[in-house]
Amino acid sequence: MGCYHSKKPKSPGYEEPTVLAAETPFTVSEVEALYELFKKLSSSIINDGLIHREEFQLALFRNRNMKNLFADRIFDLFDLKRNGVIEFGEFVRSLGIFHPNASIKDKITFAFRLYDLRQTGFIEQEELKEMVLALLHESELILSDDVIETIVEKTFNEADMKGDGKIDEEEWREFVMKYPSLIKNMTLPYLKDITMAFPSFVATTEVEDSDM
Amino acid sequence: MAGKAAPARNVLFGKYEMGRLLGKGTFAKVYHGRNLMTHDSVAIKVILKDRVKKEGLLEQVRREISVMGLVRHPHIVELKEVMATKSKVYFVMEYVNGGELFVKLSQQGKLTEDGGRKYFQQLLSAVDFCHSRGVSHRDLKPENLLLDENGNLKVSDFGLSALPEQLRIDGLLHTRCGTPAYVAPEVLRKRGYEGAKSDLWSCGVILFVLLAGSLPFKADNVMKLYRKIFKAEFEFPPWFSSEAKEMVSKLLVVDPEKRASMDEIMQSSWFQKGFTKPLSFNDKDELNSEISDLTNPKLLSSSPPFYNAFEFISSMSSGFDLTSLFESKKKQASIFTSKCSASAIIAKLQSLAQKLNFKATNQREFKVRLQAKEEGRKGKLAVTVEVYEVAPELAVVEFSKSAGDTLEYNKFCEKDVRPALKDIVWSWQGENECL
């Protein structure tokens, strides 16, 4: 079939949808629909098939220059190869954790790594304070130092069950079990409807009938 | 599969088992299927791309998918997901097993007035819902009306439907489609037309068919048929009540401008008789959240529930909210901070409820449910508001829809809630970003 040789070039970090589908909760079609979204996000500023930090910020805040500690953390965790850009495979694997069918355990771990700002394997009190300050700044809320200190201490002492001055992953897991709403934003119900949100893949799919 | 009627086990993308053939059309076959994980029954519509492409209809398939993703309603067949290979497109849909309304009608001849009214009510609530989302169906006819196991109506086949983006600059649709007997005159005349108005004409024809057991416009050739439609020339059988006649006569009006509007029909006493709005799907979720509330010990105290720092961060930070990756429109914030005390906020919410004519019920000390007294598109709108305390001078207030139509909820938040609460709000989530 000669007509299939004129395929459009794929993004540099492109991986086969069948491979990604096997490693994530997504079906092959869902991966292909995500590719439609990926193409959109990765070409919004620089058309190179990679999501740059500014493109990520643009998608989240409609503003490419919007600096935000939490968006930065998400970007860094999505960027598995740590080369400053999100490739298609990284995008799909990371979003897989946000799928309603992904395991709770993965979601808890992802949230833990998000809060472990300096990647020491522990969430320290300083890090929690830094995040509270960042949030207050983002929301333009002004609180006295005393109040901030109280908020941080109260939470930290409750989560740090062993009382060793840092929250390890096990303590974090127990804390999440106690307050399940903590991982509410680790699940994106949208991902279940992704094939209907980006239906163009039905025309461009390269899945052979024998593959399914 | 050497010519065998039923292959041993035909699994689609490792997710659905394909079963028996349910029906076929020009471009598609529909099979029964089963989700291997949940064991739920589904209907799988298989479309051959070659056929569709030859007719230049692949774009229409893509459009049908977008439209069906928009219209989730108890009386509309739900599209669950779409899959595709090089040669086929698969629509995984809700399995509706009560057959076509058309078949029931041809067996029974005609329905009683109450029976016909029930289907008409369900049809209009579905069509009204589509119109509120800017979608017109454009191919309403009994063959596209299915019945579920409880005898409730499900509208199917959005293959010809149109989205607002298909409207031309003058706001009128210009492609002609539909089956003549049910098609509005302005559509047949190939003038630009408003899809929503033409749907109402088709609803009028359907109502007539339900109560009469035969079509209002019949002729032995198409030209004669057109002529009758252009003049809205039809006769009522003797058993039609005067109210039913009035209903049909208001819909089968040639001039779309003079045709009754959706509101006019839905507010008439004939329509309202025994009418219950379908409930939104959320009610099930609400029940579940009530159950989990009871098992959460922190919610049983009488002081405002404490919001820990991590809860504060995860719910308030817009950087953690990845939903904006998928939506082009910025979504409505549903959470705000306040300097007021939790009890002052609750008092404010109660006075707001009174002002808006909503019923306020305390579900717990710092959780209020506001319910509209009037019916909406998917039943009465109900909003749950919870107040938490991060610190003595910092409260967090969270809104969520617990019942009703999402569009009505968004409008309610924007038009009624936000302005009214202005003086107690410190900041809305994700909105103070010095853009």
Side-chain angles (χ1 to χ4, degrees):
Chain A
M1 298 274 271
C3 58
Y4 287 122
H5 288 293
S6 56
K7 282 178 194 167
K8 276 194 195 154
K10 292 281 191 278
S11 308
Y14 184 79
E15 289 177 58
E16 281 305 319
T18 43
V19 173
L20 291 170
E23 289 178 31
T24 60
F26 299 113
T27 64
V28 183
S29 293
E30 285 171 327
V31 173
E32 290 188 314
L34 280 173
Y35 189 60
E36 298 295 322
L37 169 64
F38 181 83
K39 279 192 289 192
K40 191 177 112 191
L41 298 178
S42 64
S43 62
S44 65
I45 298 173
I46 308 164
N47 193 3
D48 60 356
L50 300 162
I51 300 178
H52 294 258
R53 200 174 291 270
E54 289 79 12
E55 288 172 323
F56 194 66
Q57 287 162 358
L58 182 66
L60 283 183
F61 308 114
R62 314 287 178 259
N63 178 346
R64 60 196 280 186
N65 298 319
M66 173 74 201
K67 279 273 162 211
N68 179 293
L69 173 67
F70 306 103
D72 267 349
R73 287 299 301 148
I74 300 239
F75 185 90
D76 292 342
L77 289 185
F78 271 49
D79 176 16
L80 298 164
K81 293 184 190 159
R82 311 218 42 104
N83 57 351
V85 287
I86 301 172
E87 296 170 1
F88 180 57
E90 294 173 329
F91 185 69
V92 175
R93 288 193 177 87
S94 302
L95 278 180
I97 299 168
F98 289 79
H99 194 281
N101 294 349
S103 81
I104 300 285
K105 198 169 149 277
D106 289 351
K107 291 176 194 284
I108 294 175
T109 304
F110 191 94
F112 180 80
R113 291 172 58 213
L114 216 49
Y115 295 130
D116 177 14
L117 298 179
R118 283 176 267 288
Q119 298 140 66
T120 54
F122 304 99
I123 303 172
E124 280 148 84
Q125 189 156 341
E126 264 313 298
E127 290 171 321
L128 181 57
K129 187 173 175 182
E130 193 179 331
M131 292 186 282
V132 171
L133 288 171
L135 176 66
L136 293 173
H137 178 73
E138 169 193 329
S139 321
E140 292 184 342
L141 298 173
I142 297 155
L143 290 177
S144 72
D145 286 346
D146 281 357
V147 173
I148 296 170
E149 211 56 60
T150 319
I151 295 171
V152 171
E153 254 172 46
K154 193 171 169 192
T155 300
F156 200 84
N157 293 340
E158 192 184 345
D160 177 20
M161 282 160 247
K162 294 175 198 153
D164 57 357
K166 52 195 183 187
I167 302 167
D168 61 29
E169 208 175 324
E170 196 192 324
E171 289 167 328
W172 173 249
R173 189 167 302 127
E174 286 196 30
F175 195 63
V176 175
M177 289 307 171
K178 203 165 158 193
Y179 302 107
S181 73
L182 281 177
I183 52 164
K184 209 164 89 183
N185 51 6
M186 285 303 308
T187 296
L188 296 167
Y190 287 86
L191 290 174
K192 279 201 149 173
D193 299 333
I194 200 82
T195 56
M196 291 171 284
F198 299 94
S200 309
F201 78 92
V202 301
T204 55
T205 177
E206 280 167 16
V207 177
E208 299 288 349
D209 294 275
S210 52
D211 287 348
M212 43 142 294
Chain B
M1 278 182 244
K4 261 195 181 168
R9 196 176 152 89
N10 192 355
V11 175
L12 188 61
F13 290 93
K15 201 170 171 183
Y16 297 97
E17 187 173 17
M18 299 271 277
R20 65 182 192 280
L21 182 71
L22 297 173
K24 54 181 168 187
T26 328
F27 300 108
K29 285 183 178 169
V30 183
Y31 295 87
H32 179 264
R34 196 172 288 282
N35 183 322
L36 291 173
M37 219 159 73
T38 63
H39 302 292
D40 286 341
S41 275
V42 292
I44 301 174
K45 180 160 141 185
V46 185
I47 300 166
L48 294 174
K49 277 158 84 174
D50 268 358
R51 287 270 194 82
V52 186
K53 261 192 213 154
K54 225 176 271 165
E55 308 275 333
L57 295 174
L58 199 56
E59 176 53 27
Q60 194 160 299
V61 170
R62 202 194 61 78
R63 192 165 73 203
E64 182 175 357
I65 298 168
S66 307
V67 167
M68 287 189 74
L70 277 179
V71 288
R72 298 281 172 86
H73 186 274
H75 294 304
I76 296 175
V77 175
E78 184 194 354
L79 177 63
K80 292 170 184 285
E81 65 175 303
V82 178
M83 301 192 276
T85 62
K86 276 183 175 170
S87 72
K88 294 179 185 116
V89 181
Y90 301 87
F91 282 23
V92 180
M93 299 180 299
E94 174 185 10
Y95 176 57
V96 182
N97 65 354
E100 285 175 16
L101 178 55
F102 185 64
V103 172
K104 182 177 171 162
L105 204 60
S106 61
Q107 284 162 355
Q108 297 194 359
K110 62 180 167 59
L111 304 179
T112 62
E113 188 160 317
D114 283 341
R117 173 167 28 219
K118 184 186 107 179
Y119 294 128
F120 185 67
Q121 288 164 338
Q122 296 182 341
L123 170 67
L124 254 64
S125 74
V127 174
D128 175 48
F129 182 79
C130 292
H131 293 174
S132 74
R133 265 62 181 172
V135 171
S136 45
H137 186 285
R138 307 203 292 163
D139 195 22
L140 291 166
K141 53 185 177 184
E143 292 89 324
N144 289 337
L145 306 179
L146 307 178
L147 296 176
D148 71 8
E149 68 238 25
N150 304 315
N152 287 315
L153 188 86
K154 299 267 183 184
V155 179
S156 77
D157 202 349
F158 282 74
L160 297 174
S161 55
L163 277 169
E165 64 189 67
Q166 266 86 46
L167 296 176
R168 283 174 35 131
I169 305 160
D170 58 1
L172 299 172
L173 293 159
H174 279 271
T175 27
R176 192 163 74 74
C177 48
T179 331
Y182 293 87
V183 177
E186 70 272 18
V187 182
L188 297 177
R189 283 193 192 279
K190 303 182 188 175
R191 292 201 184 130
Y193 61 93
E194 204 188 311
K197 283 274 181 192
S198 317
D199 278 350
L200 279 167
W201 170 282
S202 307
C203 289
V205 179
I206 290 168
L207 177 59
F208 184 98
V209 174
L210 291 175
L211 301 179
S214 62
L215 286 162
F217 309 111
K218 279 172 298 195
D220 28 344
N221 71 55
V222 181
M223 276 327 290
K224 279 189 195 158
L225 179 62
Y226 274 36
R227 222 172 297 139
K228 284 189 172 174
I229 294 173
F230 290 149
K231 285 193 257 170
E233 194 185 294
F234 65 97
E235 268 171 44
F236 288 111
W239 58 83
F240 264 58
S241 73
S242 57
E243 277 181 297
K245 280 185 194 164
E246 194 189 330
M247 204 55 23
V248 173
S249 310
K250 279 183 173 171
L251 288 166
L252 298 185
V253 171
V254 176
D255 181 355
E257 294 294 311
K258 292 185 183 139
R259 199 171 299 151
S261 69
M262 184 64 82
D263 279 352
E264 206 177 314
I265 296 296
M266 290 182 89
Q267 258 135 50
S268 68
S269 60
W270 186 84
F271 184 89
Q272 282 293 327
K273 193 177 168 196
F275 181 49
T276 44
K277 285 264 177 149
L279 294 174
S280 105
F281 304 139
N282 274 53
D283 291 9
K284 223 173 14 193
D285 302 342
E286 195 187 20
L287 213 74
N288 291 337
S289 80
E290 295 304 310
I291 293 162
S292 64
D293 272 2
L294 295 175
T295 55
N296 194 339
K298 92 169 174 174
L299 300 175
L300 294 175
S301 68
S302 65
S303 59
F306 171 61
Y307 221 42
N308 70 53
F310 287 109
E311 287 175 298
F312 186 41
I313 292 166
S314 69
S315 62
M316 277 297 284
S317 169
S318 47
F320 267 179
D321 187 2
L322 294 186
T323 50
S324 34
L325 290 181
F326 304 93
E327 291 185 316
S328 40
K329 264 188 293 178
K330 216 174 158 126
K331 72 161 194 188
Q332 185 86 229
S334 59
I335 178 163
F336 69 84
T337 50
S338 175
K339 285 183 200 180
C340 300
S341 72
S343 40
I345 294 167
I346 293 290
K348 179 85 185 172
L349 289 169
Q350 270 155 350
S351 77
L352 171 72
Q354 205 161 28
K355 211 179 85 195
L356 298 171
N357 199 21
F358 270 54
K359 194 176 107 193
T361 27
N362 282 352
Q363 297 203 298
R364 292 195 314 269
E365 191 120 23
F366 296 94
K367 182 173 177 183
V368 181
R369 181 185 155 106
L370 308 177
Q371 192 184 45
K373 289 184 182 154
E374 275 166 31
E375 291 286 333
R377 220 171 260 124
K378 278 187 179 175
K380 288 176 179 143
L381 181 65
V383 180
T384 305
V385 194
E386 289 179 78
V387 184
Y388 300 94
E389 210 171 75
V390 181
E393 59 214 74
L394 180 60
V396 172
V397 184
E398 218 178 325
F399 280 79
S400 57
K401 186 191 76 149
S402 36
D405 178 44
T406 308
L407 219 60
E408 287 168 7
Y409 169 68
N410 290 342
K411 208 176 130 202
F412 172 72
C413 288
E414 199 184 312
K415 296 257 162 67
D416 297 323
V417 174
R418 291 180 68 114
L421 296 181
K422 219 169 54 205
D423 44 321
I424 65 161
V425 172
W426 196 351
S427 71
W428 283 93
Q429 186 239 357
E431 289 188 5
N432 284 353
E433 298 152 357
C434 353
L435 294 175

